[in-house]
Amino acid sequence: MFYNIHYDICAIIVHVFALFFVVYKKEIRRVQNKVYLAILITGLITTVFDLLSAIINSYMTESRVVLGMAFNYGYLILHNIMPILFCIYIVVVSGSYMNKTKSFYIHLFIPTLVTIILFILNPFNNGIFYYNDKLEYCHGPLMIWLYVIAGLYIVICITLIFKNSSLLSKGKKIAMMILFSGTIISIGIQSIFSNLLIEMFVQGLAYLGILYTIENEDELRNGITGIYNRKGFISENIIRIKNNIKYTVLTVKMTNLKYYSSAVGIMSTNELLIDIAKWLDELVPNCAYDCDNSSFSVVLNKYSKEEVEEIINIIKEKLSQDWIFNDMKLALNSNIYIINIPEDVDTIERLMGIVDSEYESESDNKVTLISGEKLNMFQRE
């Protein structure tokens, strides 16, 4: 049988295009984008194996059987790993991964484990695929189970989408539903016209749909300080609050920075903000946010109570001293709001009421710690 490889060639181009934009335009340090990147890379390699196996299956000789087996194994194994990656992506992008137990992931992996066992047994029973006496590529009697397992994962994915509907953007829900429906339709077409390799091309187009729902890096980072911005802070905390995650937010508000700004000028003030942001980002990598108006926040999710206390003490000690900057010593006055979620606040509105507070302490201390019941005066409904 001769295969139509044109769709595979197009699929490779689509995957490369998507990879380029993810790496150069998107914020790949975020967990959900790392999973998406893994899906794209797996999809690209899968498509290459699909193309190579189609070519060699079309021109099979006895000397090429081992190479043909290798290409087909590469395609089928990677292709059947992708469904669990889709599930993980939905769990991560919705933020529900933060409260999933180890048991959830073990159960999620069981169908993939069955798939791996089937592939291990294939050289002995030809259950998945084999070459017959005429050197024709043939499906074995157990191939149907790969479709059953893939179908199971699609059901799981759709269930996760509906279960976490409020945590997913409309664009992401539409793109993922197109992905699953397109995959099912393309599999149906390919089962009727077995020489038409259309499935990976359809999936590649769906990946582009998901790509356009992912924020560009410059949308999530502050244009001056370079760390995550207010928009990123709000979206991250909405997901955590809706998933009932217990964590701590530390907000550092520079209460006298506006006076320095009028004295040293806007450019020097921006350089100072960059210096503060850089220090916070080094202290708690990828957890610091510039929330505007001389306010910085750090989101501490995977830190123990002792580690949070240590971070608070480090920030307090640093801000209790003069901030040395461009041969200047600046006595910065600051409030440190210690916000435990959900104990102190349980909505994004109340959290932002604290973050945006313009409160200036009458204390002579350079650093004022505000926590517990004292936070109630800053919350907005």
Side-chain angles (χ1 to χ4, degrees):
M1 178 187 294
F2 290 92
Y3 295 90
N4 186 335
I5 62 173
H6 298 93
Y7 286 106
D8 266 350
I9 294 173
C10 292
I12 290 173
I13 295 172
V14 170
H15 279 83
V16 170
F17 177 83
L19 275 170
F20 173 82
F21 273 88
V22 168
V23 172
Y24 289 100
K25 293 291 185 179
K26 305 298 180 180
E27 177 49 76
I28 59 174
R29 279 181 283 187
R30 303 181 80 194
V31 177
Q32 64 192 56
N33 293 350
K34 287 180 180 178
V35 177
Y36 178 72
L37 183 62
I39 291 174
L40 280 181
I41 293 173
T42 304
L44 176 60
I45 299 173
T46 301
T47 307
V48 171
F49 274 124
D50 191 27
L51 176 63
L52 293 175
S53 61
I55 293 173
I56 203 165
N57 288 343
S58 299
Y59 303 96
M60 180 56 65
T61 63
E62 289 187 7
S63 62
R64 297 174 180 172
V65 169
V66 174
L67 194 59
M69 293 288 287
F71 288 156
N72 280 289
Y73 269 118
Y75 166 69
L76 289 170
I77 290 173
L78 290 176
H79 193 234
N80 284 276
I81 286 175
M82 295 186 73
I84 192 172
L85 290 179
F86 295 146
C87 290
I88 293 173
Y89 180 71
I90 295 170
V91 170
V92 170
V93 80
S94 67
S96 58
Y97 74 99
M98 289 180 277
N99 57 15
K100 296 295 184 186
T101 63
K102 187 181 292 185
S103 174
F104 170 82
Y105 294 104
I106 291 174
H107 285 91
L108 188 64
F109 183 71
I110 288 175
T112 299
L113 180 61
V114 173
T115 300
I116 293 171
I117 293 172
L118 291 176
F119 281 117
I120 292 173
L121 295 176
N122 188 67
F124 308 101
N125 61 11
N126 293 332
I128 303 297
F129 74 94
Y130 61 94
Y131 290 102
N132 62 17
D133 295 337
K134 297 180 181 180
L135 299 181
E136 295 173 330
Y137 173 81
C138 302
H139 287 171
L142 299 180
M143 175 63 82
I144 186 65
W145 286 103
L146 298 185
Y147 289 99
V148 170
I149 291 171
L152 175 62
Y153 275 121
I154 288 177
V155 171
I156 293 172
C157 286
I158 293 174
T159 302
L160 289 170
I161 290 174
F162 282 103
K163 185 177 180 181
N164 300 293
S165 179
S166 62
L167 302 172
L168 296 169
S169 68
K170 183 179 179 181
K172 275 194 171 63
K173 284 185 285 188
I174 293 173
M176 284 188 279
M177 293 305 293
I178 290 174
L179 169 63
F180 300 133
S181 58
T183 299
I184 293 170
I185 293 171
S186 62
I187 289 174
I189 294 173
Q190 201 163 305
S191 64
I192 298 172
F193 305 99
S194 55
N195 66 323
L196 192 63
L197 306 179
I198 196 173
E199 183 182 353
M200 296 309 299
F201 176 63
V202 173
Q203 287 187 6
L205 292 178
Y207 296 156
L208 287 181
I210 296 175
L211 174 67
Y212 291 123
T213 68
I214 299 175
E215 298 91 343
N216 289 331
E217 183 172 2
D218 56 5
E219 292 181 280
L220 295 172
R221 292 193 172 272
N222 185 280
I224 296 173
T225 57
I227 62 175
Y228 291 127
N229 60 18
R230 181 183 180 90
K231 176 183 177 181
F233 178 77
I234 292 174
S235 62
E236 187 71 22
N237 281 280
I238 286 175
I239 289 175
R240 293 176 187 273
I241 291 172
K242 286 189 175 182
N243 276 290
N244 299 314
I245 307 298
K246 295 186 68 173
Y247 64 104
T248 300
V249 173
L250 303 179
T251 294
V252 180
K253 179 76 173 184
M254 311 297 171
T255 58
N256 64 340
L257 192 60
K258 56 187 176 182
Y259 303 113
Y260 285 116
S261 180
S262 59
V264 302
I266 188 65
M267 296 303 294
S268 293
T269 302
N270 286 345
E271 290 178 19
L272 173 61
L273 291 172
I274 292 170
D275 201 40
I276 295 170
K278 181 179 178 182
W279 181 80
L280 281 173
D281 196 44
E282 290 175 351
L283 177 64
V284 278
N286 296 321
C287 296
Y289 296 81
D290 186 331
C291 295
D292 299 336
N293 301 317
S294 309
S295 181
F296 296 91
S297 294
V298 292
V299 177
L300 305 175
N301 182 40
K302 296 183 179 180
Y303 292 81
S304 66
K305 185 177 180 180
E306 292 75 20
E307 289 173 325
V308 171
E309 288 294 331
E310 182 181 357
I311 291 170
I312 293 171
N313 291 331
I314 291 173
I315 295 175
K316 181 182 177 182
E317 182 180 351
K318 178 71 173 178
L319 295 177
S320 296
Q321 305 169 9
D322 290 342
W323 194 282
I324 300 174
F325 156 76
N326 281 358
D327 298 325
M328 293 185 291
K329 287 186 178 181
L330 303 181
L332 296 175
N333 294 337
S334 57
N335 297 333
I336 300 178
Y337 300 95
I338 305 167
I339 312 162
N340 293 309
I341 299 172
E343 293 88 349
D344 297 325
V345 299
D346 56 3
T347 66
I348 189 64
E349 290 77 16
R350 292 181 175 182
L351 175 61
M352 295 312 297
I354 298 172
V355 171
D356 294 337
S357 169
E358 296 291 339
Y359 173 74
E360 293 188 30
S361 174
E362 297 179 358
S363 170
D364 293 330
N365 297 328
K366 291 179 65 178
V367 178
T368 302
L369 298 181
I370 304 174
S371 62
E373 294 183 356
K374 294 180 181 178
L375 296 169
N376 294 333
M377 71 176 79
F378 308 110
Q379 297 182 30
R380 60 172 177 247
E381 297 299 329

